[in-house]
Amino acid sequence: MLRKTWTSLVWLVLCCWSAQSYSAAVAEKVFADYADALLQIKVLEHASGAKSAIGSGFLLADSDLVVTNYHVVSEAVLFPQKYQLEFLAQNQQKGALEIVAVDVVNDLALLKTDYKAAKSFRLQQQTPVQGATVYSLGNPHDLGLIVVPGTYNGLQKHSFYPRIHFTGAINSGMSGGPAVNDAGEVIGVNVASAGNDLGFLVPAAALKALLEKAVVADLKLDIQQQLIGNQQRMFQQILQADWQLKNFGPATVPDEIVPFIRCWGMSNVEKDKDDIKRVNAFCNQPEEIFLSSEFSTGRIEMQFEWIQAKDLHPLQFFRRYQFSISQMNADNSAGEDDVTAFSCQNQLVSPVEGQHAKAIFCIRAYRNYPQLFDVAYISASMDHQQQGVISHFTLAGVDQQIALEFSRKFIGAVVWQ
């Protein structure tokens, strides 16, 4: 029995060593074959000539195009008079780059170049199987080009935006680099990391779709059309869904209304010393669309709070209630150059007969994308002196029609029982 166990252990060690050796050999071959087609992308400020941002990119076969992330080159897209793009190849060759098309929803950009490599990357022919080894390439922290082996885990679950879940270390500076299979074919583009060997890739299918587009003359107008098309697809699913409701203290509120909106909750009901009992629920679609370092869009958030204070005077309760209401704000980042100030309306709403709530509906416009708006709504029930329900939502980057349709459905779903 001991001999059999020892033999099995030796066999397991040999198998692991063999797999690691194979992975290392493939990584070495991929790097040797495609090193010249891997580029560092630099965003340079005209005035100082200094780097403002860096990332990675790669040259596609049968084209004069370099692929990278939109967020790597966003400054040059938004402020072409202030920034220019330059690549640095492994052989130390440098050259200018020109932006020809972007996909802000999938965080991709195509850049034109005169640079040629001995061997350039091609896109995948078949999707990898679950658990297959893939290789992420890029330039982390400006330390030089590297290859990181990792595992293909399919598409991220509960996400509106297709993203490949990659188990491997994608670090800052690797954004825009390729992730390839054993044959060196691109299966995705490095886009984000959540740390602890948890990375995400834009699938090759999104890159194929961008490659089919013609050269774009007006990038900002094209970005607006992309944002409008994206929010219409997203909210079509949300507004047509049969919203699931859940009991929330004395009320009902929306729950996980579509698969890509997830909900969590917390409370202090078990703490006897607290003079106010609070139950909170949070639901959101947390994935943002990056527009600039100070401006993001695409988020959806719903928040609910039930407050009860049986031993407080109604005036004391009202002050606490009012403070909770004041803490709810818009959830996406935006500066004065990106959006107007919020314009708000106060109104009394009655979700059903005999119920009353004070509601505030606020909207702000996008300065560079005039058909899009951020919306913030908050409502507080008014029919009880020592308890209340606060409901709140924010929508980032929607048109006015969607804002109104979502508001009607949301107000009708928050009901005091």
Side-chain angles (χ1 to χ4, degrees):
M1 180 68 179
L2 182 60
R3 181 176 181 181
K4 184 177 181 180
T5 302
W6 175 252
T7 302
S8 298
L9 180 60
V10 171
W11 176 251
L12 179 62
V13 170
L14 289 173
C15 286
C16 291
W17 178 83
S18 177
Q20 291 174 355
S21 298
Y22 174 76
S23 178
V26 172
E28 183 178 356
K29 185 177 188 306
V30 166
F31 190 82
D33 287 348
Y34 294 99
D36 287 345
L38 288 168
L39 305 175
Q40 183 184 62
I41 310 298
K42 300 180 181 181
V43 181
L44 304 176
E45 187 191 31
H46 284 301
S48 65
K51 289 180 292 187
S52 174
I54 60 170
S56 300
F58 59 97
L59 195 66
L60 281 176
D62 303 324
S63 77
D64 56 356
L65 295 176
V66 173
V67 178
T68 189
N69 288 143
Y70 167 78
H71 77 256
V72 171
V73 299
S74 61
E75 290 178 313
V77 173
L78 300 173
F79 308 105
Q81 72 283 358
K82 185 176 181 181
Y83 298 98
Q84 64 185 27
L85 298 178
E86 182 181 273
F87 73 84
L88 174 64
Q90 182 76 355
N91 58 15
Q92 299 305 303
Q93 186 173 339
K94 297 180 181 180
L97 295 167
E98 178 187 352
I99 302 167
V100 296
V102 300
D103 177 353
V104 295
V105 174
N106 288 297
D107 202 351
L108 293 173
L110 297 178
L111 316 174
K112 189 174 182 181
T113 180
D114 294 330
Y115 173 74
K116 302 295 181 183
K119 188 173 184 179
S120 298
F121 289 92
R122 296 183 182 276
L123 301 187
Q124 67 179 16
Q125 299 302 311
Q126 290 184 323
T127 302
V129 298
Q130 187 85 7
T133 300
V134 293
Y135 306 86
S136 172
L137 299 92
N139 190 331
H141 302 287
D142 201 13
L143 296 176
L145 295 170
I146 65 168
V147 182
V148 177
T151 305
Y152 175 87
N153 292 296
L155 294 180
Q156 181 184 1
K157 295 181 179 179
H158 310 305
S159 173
F160 181 76
Y161 304 106
R163 296 291 183 268
I164 294 170
H165 175 189
F166 170 77
T167 303
I170 297 177
N171 292 296
S172 178
M174 295 180 69
S175 293
V180 302
N181 58 20
D182 287 1
E185 297 170 333
V186 176
I187 64 105
V189 181
N190 304 333
V191 71
S193 173
N196 297 318
D197 282 351
L198 178 59
F200 300 99
L201 315 172
V202 179
L207 177 54
K208 289 179 183 177
L210 182 58
L211 288 167
E212 293 172 358
K213 290 183 63 172
V215 175
V216 177
D218 189 333
L219 288 174
K220 288 186 179 180
L221 179 59
D222 190 52
I223 289 172
Q224 175 173 273
Q225 292 171 344
Q226 292 174 28
L227 295 173
I228 291 172
N230 179 72
Q231 55 102 6
Q232 288 176 342
R233 290 188 295 272
M234 179 182 288
F235 280 91
Q236 183 179 29
Q237 294 187 39
I238 292 171
L239 296 173
Q240 291 181 356
D242 181 15
W243 284 19
Q244 298 300 307
L245 307 180
K246 64 181 178 183
N247 293 328
F248 187 73
T252 62
V253 298
D255 197 18
E256 294 182 345
I257 55 179
V258 288
F260 52 84
I261 290 182
R262 312 298 291 169
C263 297
W264 298 264
M266 58 184 295
S267 73
N268 70 342
V269 294
E270 76 286 352
K271 297 180 180 179
D272 295 333
K273 294 183 179 181
D274 291 351
D275 56 359
I276 287 188
K277 303 300 182 186
R278 299 178 185 274
V279 179
N280 297 93
F282 312 88
C283 301
N284 68 354
Q285 188 294 107
E287 297 169 301
E288 296 181 327
I289 297 174
F290 179 98
L291 294 177
S292 76
S293 58
E294 298 179 352
F295 188 21
S296 62
T297 189
R299 286 176 61 94
I300 301 170
E301 182 139 345
M302 301 184 293
Q303 299 179 41
F304 309 97
E305 185 170 21
W306 169 39
I307 303 176
Q308 185 180 48
K310 294 181 179 179
D311 298 326
L312 287 183
H313 187 276
L315 288 178
Q316 292 177 301
F317 169 77
F318 177 76
R319 283 195 292 269
R320 301 283 189 91
Y321 195 42
Q322 193 174 39
F323 177 77
S324 290
I325 294 170
S326 69
Q327 297 306 296
M328 298 189 180
N329 299 296
D331 297 293
N332 63 311
S333 60
E336 294 181 357
D337 293 335
D338 304 311
V339 295
T340 64
F342 271 113
S343 174
C344 299
Q345 291 183 339
N346 298 336
Q347 55 186 327
L348 188 68
V349 297
S350 297
V352 296
E353 186 176 353
Q355 296 181 20
H356 304 89
K358 180 69 175 294
I360 304 173
F361 184 88
C362 301
I363 190 167
R364 65 184 181 187
Y366 285 17
R367 294 189 186 277
N368 293 319
Y369 311 109
Q371 297 183 46
L372 295 173
F373 302 84
D374 288 340
V375 177
Y377 170 89
I378 186 167
S379 171
S381 60
M382 299 176 58
D383 299 311
H384 304 271
Q385 293 187 336
Q386 291 177 307
Q387 66 173 325
V389 173
I390 302 169
S391 58
H392 164 68
F393 73 77
T394 58
L395 311 177
V398 297
D399 63 31
Q400 294 190 47
Q401 183 62 34
I402 284 177
L404 292 174
E405 291 180 17
F406 184 92
S407 300
R408 293 191 193 103
K409 193 157 187 173
F410 182 89
I411 292 169
V414 181
V415 180
W416 194 282
Q417 295 177 329

